[in-house]
């Protein structure tokens, strides 16, 4: 499973570690724990490395359990859009200080607001997840994202309304001034 899409990224992570063998063993341990909650996918090994970097040993199981609850809520609300590629964001959302209910509400509110401007449902769902991972409330996050998107457009920059939306969403949650991000 570790020979999938993110293999090069994981190799870079391991290469930067002072003890790559122990990091890999830890990742495998977390992977085995995450398999209790999620089916096999090319994203799960990478998710295991993320959990290893963000958690202490005792937190692995609770992060995996909470990510599964968040993922299941996503799946309940958007059964045709939610797939294995959403597991990564569910894991990142599991680290949020927000409650599971707050996360679910914010995801839906972001999604419904962004669908007014963008047609690709799957990309809007991923963007909603990224914006919910960020600090602040959903209204401010979506408004800031739209201002940055529109600011790029006003300057003549073409920015796609597809899989690039979540990347711009990640940039928009950075605390830098909007004008600076647009430039």
């Amino acid at each position: 499973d570790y020979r999938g899409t993110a293999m090069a990224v994981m190799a870079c992570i391991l290469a930067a570690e002072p003890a790559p063998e122990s990091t890999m063993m830890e990742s495998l341990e977390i992977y085995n724990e995450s398999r209790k909650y999620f089916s096999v996918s090319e994203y799960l090994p990478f998710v295991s490395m993320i959990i290893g970097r963000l958690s202490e040993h005792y937190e692995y199981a609770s992060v995996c359990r909470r990510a599964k609850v968040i993922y299941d809520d996503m799946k309940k609300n958007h059964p045709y859009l939610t797939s294995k590629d959403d597991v990564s964001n569910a894991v990142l959302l599991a680290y949020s200080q927000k409650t599971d209910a707050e996360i679910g509400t914010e995801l839906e509110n972001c999604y419904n607001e962004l669908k007014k401007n963008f047609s690709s449902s799957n990309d809007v769902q991923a963007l909603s997840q990224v914006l919910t991972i960020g600090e602040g409330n959903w209204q401010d996050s979506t408004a800031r994202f739209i201002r940055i998107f529109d600011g790029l457009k006003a300057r003549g920059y073409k920015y796609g309304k597809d899989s690039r939306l979540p990347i711009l969403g990640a940039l928009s949650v950075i605390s830098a001034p909007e004008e600076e991000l647009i430039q």
Side-chain angles (χ1 to χ4, degrees), residues 8-26:
V9 175
M10 292 185 296
C12 289
I13 291 171
L14 289 171
E17 289 292 324
E21 293 87 2
S22 64
T23 300
M24 185 64 187
M25 295 307 293
E26 178 183 59

Side-chain angles (χ1 to χ4, degrees), residues 22-67:
S22 64
T23 300
M24 185 64 187
M25 295 307 293
E26 178 183 59
S27 176
L28 289 169
E29 182 180 328
I30 297 167
Y31 176 81
N32 289 331
E33 180 67 28
S34 65
R35 283 286 294 122
K36 295 176 184 175
Y37 303 95
F38 299 103
S39 60
V40 174
S41 79
E42 65 270 21
Y43 303 100
L44 212 50
F46 183 64
V47 165
S48 299
M49 287 195 149
I50 292 170
I51 293 171
R53 291 182 69 89
L54 296 177
S55 296
E56 295 296 324
H57 180 73
Y58 63 88
E59 291 183 81
Y60 299 163
S62 63
V63 168
C64 292
R65 270 193 309 277
R66 183 165 191 220

